[in-house]
Amino acid sequence: MAVGALALLFVGVALADTVQPDGDIVSSGNQTSVSLGTVPPGATLTPTVRFYLTCDGKSHADSGQTVTIPFKASASSAPSGGSVSATDGSIGPAPGAWPDDVATGSGNCGSPAPAPLSSVGSDSTVTIVAPLTPGGPYTYTVAWGQSTLAPSGNNDTSSITGSVSSVTYTLSVSAPVTDTDGDGVADASDNCPTVANADQADADADGTGDACDSNAFAPALVTAGPDADGNEGATLTTAGAFSDADGNGTLAISKQSGAGTVTDNGDGTWSWSLPTTDNGFGTIVVQASDGEHTVVTDSFAWSAANVDPTGTLGNSGPVDEGSPVTVSFANQVDPSSADTSAGLHYAFDCDNGDLSGATYASSGTDSSTTCTFPDGPATEIVKARIIDKDDGYTEYTTTVVVDDVKPTVTIDSLSGSGGTACIGGNAVTLGFSWTDPAGANDVYAYDVDWGDGSANTTAASATSPVGSLTHTYAAGGPYTVQVTVNDEDPGTGGTASSSAFSFLYNVSGVLQPVNDTQAKNDPSVFKYGGTIPVKIRVTDCDGLVVPGLAPQIAVKKVSGTTPPTGLDETISSTSGADTGTTMRYSDGLYIYNLATKSLADASATYEIRITGPFATVTTQFGTRSK
């Protein structure tokens, strides 16, 4: 510490050398008054005093001799509450350059005189204890007694006599210093007086030491949240982390901007989620704050891609050609509630055409349509799209089975058919038409079967109606005309048939011996068990007998003892030439010898019915018992 300068003169009885003390060996010069400044109560100070020996006079220390300067407590003083002490000082041994005081003859130090001694010997260490009472300045006096010389010389005295040398110290005592945590830093200047922190570290320079500051460090980004990408309708997520050297409990993590929800997990980590309802994108900024320092932020991007809507495309087929088929979507799905709220749109093409120009704006809201295909059999492709408001779409095809429809044929006219006519003159005129859903898409062919075994009339290509086909029949019948129209497609064509008709011969009626009740004659009565010859004559329009026919005869009871049943009787002929119920031809007549015994009732009235290629002939007869 800085002290003043002091110069003392020891006057020796035998020696004239001078001893000078320096109260501050750091400073140059000799100091006798030194200020120690202001110190804490009870402080201990240890200034050092160095002594200088200067050769002077006729009698002085010789080479090899050492001067000892003893501390003199009786001449030293300290203020009340303080104390002072010191160690002895010494100078020497004197170097060989110091002359012997006898050898000089005159006893002088010689010329030039040797340099003063100061760097040899030992310094005196002063110990000063400050009073406990603040105040001052307080004065301390440190004194050293008469020096001694050793070893003694022949011409030297054993001691140096003279005045006592001293140094005066002054100091002031400061108010008591409190150091609660004992870290060597007074509470008044300690940035954490209750916790030992000799290094006084203060990371955020807020005047509170880190040892006492629960929020000494600013938050820091540890793990950046990755971008979050997905599809609309999905819940997007990501996560990240901040840290704080004070402990993550001081962190408050929140969303600064953007969509979704940020959750502070309480341990420095955070998570983010966004349930998307539509396609879109954005940026999220997450911040961490400890309430004192600058917030730290992290940002990431999110995007939700549009998802094309889907559905099931079907149709109501198979369908007949020319009939409408319904093509419709079902099970429509779009993960975006915004898309479904806006309403899905639909585009159709019945001819499997290009739908590339179909957009949300140009399409419709009807999820079904109808298509009509004029010709079958065929497999038709219908193409359709389901479209959302963002023009996302999925395209589908559905296969419609179109069945062929047979032409519907109608016989419009058949003039000249039926009734009595002459052989070789039985001509008819046929008119017919047809309809078909395929219309002009098909080529139509017809086939007319006249029903008499003659060659069919056909046409490989025709249009409806056909109005004047003629045909001549042989007499007889019955005949049925069938018209078939084909539409060029595989399978049987459409058909139409006329009612049965005949061209009839003339019949003379039942001849004698059976009265002709058709001529309103009374019926003939025959004995039961006898034979009744039943005869008819068949002629053409020229009156010529017509052979070669096979008229059929039947007999039915119409009255008698047993009520009639309405059923034909079982009959037989007494002629071996007759077969079953077929009449034979003989000499211009058709004859059947009816055995009355085969009839069920001996006393009854019976009706004869003869049929053939002519108008049916009927008559009645009776039977009686023998």
Side-chain angles (χ1 to χ4, degrees):
M1 58 186 62
V3 294
L6 174 65
L8 296 179
L9 177 64
F10 282 81
V11 181
V13 175
L15 299 175
D17 293 336
T18 302
V19 176
Q20 298 171 318
D22 185 346
D24 184 357
I25 63 172
V26 176
S27 301
S28 62
N30 299 317
Q31 304 171 21
T32 58
S33 181
V34 179
S35 174
L36 300 178
T38 301
V39 301
T44 299
L45 299 91
T46 57
T48 302
V49 176
R50 177 169 293 177
F51 296 90
Y52 298 84
L53 177 65
T54 302
C55 184
D56 186 24
K58 295 180 180 180
S59 297
H60 53 76
D62 294 331
S63 172
Q65 290 185 312
T66 297
V67 177
T68 299
I69 308 96
F71 168 67
K72 190 172 184 179
S74 60
S76 300
S77 63
S80 177
S83 64
V84 64
S85 62
T87 60
D88 297 340
S90 66
I91 305 172
W98 278 63
D100 185 277
D101 56 353
V102 175
T104 59
S106 61
N108 293 328
C109 290
S111 181
L117 295 180
S118 63
S119 59
V120 294
S122 60
D123 300 331
S124 174
T125 299
V126 180
T127 300
I128 296 174
V129 179
L132 296 176
T133 303
Y138 293 101
T139 301
Y140 293 78
T141 300
V142 186
W144 289 268
Q146 190 160 353
S147 302
T148 61
L149 183 65
S152 297
N154 294 328
N155 300 312
D156 302 314
T157 61
S158 60
S159 63
I160 299 176
T161 59
S163 301
V164 174
S165 63
S166 64
V167 175
T168 300
Y169 291 96
T170 60
L171 59 82
S172 296
V173 176
S174 64
V177 176
T178 302
D179 183 9
T180 303
D181 55 14
D183 60 1
V185 182
D187 288 356
S189 57
D190 194 338
N191 62 16
C192 182
T194 60
V195 179
N197 65 329
D199 61 2
Q200 295 291 287
D202 185 4
D204 55 3
D206 62 353
T208 300
D210 296 345
C212 289
D213 193 348
S214 62
N215 196 7
F217 297 91
L221 176 63
V222 175
T223 303
D227 292 343
D229 301 311
N231 292 329
E232 63 181 2
T235 297
L236 305 181
T237 61
T238 193
F242 295 96
S243 68
D244 194 314
D246 302 305
N248 293 326
T250 63
L251 290 177
I253 301 174
S254 62
K255 182 182 71 176
Q256 189 177 68
S257 62
T261 301
V262 170
T263 300
D264 183 350
N265 298 323
D267 58 358
T269 64
W270 57 269
S271 57
W272 169 87
S273 65
L274 173 64
T276 61
T277 58
D278 200 8
N279 57 303
F281 61 91
T283 299
I284 311 298
V285 178
V286 181
Q287 68 176 22
S289 172
D290 64 3
E292 178 179 337
H293 304 96
T294 302
V295 298
V296 178
T297 61
D298 179 21
S299 65
F300 61 91
W302 67 270
S303 66
N306 187 58
V307 177
D308 298 334
T310 59
T312 302
L313 184 66
N315 66 81
S316 60
V319 64
D320 289 341
E321 62 183 6
S323 297
V325 61
T326 299
V327 178
S328 59
F329 275 102
N331 306 316
Q332 298 93 318
V333 175
D334 193 305
S336 168
S337 59
D339 286 349
T340 55
S341 295
L344 299 175
H345 280 203
Y346 306 88
F348 298 90
D349 194 300
C350 293
D351 296 322
N352 193 24
D354 183 8
L355 289 173
S356 60
T359 65
Y360 185 78
S362 66
S363 54
T365 58
D366 196 340
S367 62
S368 65
T369 192
T370 57
C371 302
T372 301
F373 302 100
D375 194 17
T379 299
E380 302 289 349
I381 303 298
V382 177
K383 188 180 292 183
R385 282 184 180 181
I386 180 171
I387 309 170
D388 66 19
K389 65 176 177 55
D390 304 299
D391 280 330
Y393 69 88
T394 303
E395 188 166 292
Y396 297 90
T397 59
T398 184
T399 301
V400 180
V401 175
V402 181
D403 293 331
D404 180 48
V405 176
K406 299 175 183 178
T408 300
V409 183
T410 303
I411 294 179
D412 300 318
S413 62
L414 185 61
S415 61
S417 62
T420 302
C422 298
I423 295 175
N426 305 318
V428 297
T429 300
L430 172 67
F432 61 92
S433 60
W434 65 88
T435 59
D436 187 77
N441 294 285
D442 278 346
V443 176
Y444 298 93
Y446 65 75
D447 181 292
V448 178
D449 183 351
W450 298 103
D452 60 354
S454 62
N456 291 5
T457 301
T458 62
S461 178
T463 57
S464 179
V466 176
S468 57
L469 295 183
T470 61
H471 184 69
T472 301
Y473 285 89
Y479 303 112
T480 300
V481 177
Q482 178 174 287
V483 179
T484 301
V485 178
N486 289 290
D487 59 2
E488 83 181 3
D489 296 315
T492 304
T495 62
S497 298
S498 70
S499 299
F501 60 91
S502 299
F503 292 96
L504 305 179
Y505 295 97
N506 293 323
V507 181
S508 59
V510 179
L511 303 178
Q512 289 293 329
V514 179
N515 291 335
D516 184 4
T517 58
Q518 289 178 325
K520 300 183 180 179
N521 297 321
D522 291 335
S524 300
V525 178
F526 298 95
K527 289 183 178 180
Y528 182 75
T531 297
I532 303 174
V534 181
K535 307 174 184 177
I536 62 172
R537 179 180 289 110
V538 180
T539 61
D540 61 17
C541 293
D542 296 324
L544 298 176
V545 175
V546 180
L549 302 179
Q552 299 294 310
I553 183 171
V555 176
K556 177 174 67 176
K557 185 173 72 171
V558 295
S559 66
T561 57
T562 300
T565 62
L567 300 177
D568 288 339
E569 296 285 310
T570 299
I571 62 173
S572 63
S573 175
T574 58
S575 171
D578 297 335
T579 302
T581 58
T582 302
M583 301 179 73
R584 69 183 184 278
Y585 179 78
S586 176
D587 295 329
L589 297 176
Y590 287 96
I591 302 172
Y592 187 87
N593 290 325
L594 176 64
T596 60
K597 192 173 183 179
S598 63
L599 301 179
D601 195 344
S603 297
T605 300
Y606 294 91
E607 179 184 81
I608 298 174
R609 184 173 68 255
I610 302 174
T611 58
F614 42 74
T616 299
V617 178
T618 61
T619 191
Q620 292 183 355
F621 69 92
T623 59
R624 60 181 175 81
S625 300
K626 293 181 180 179

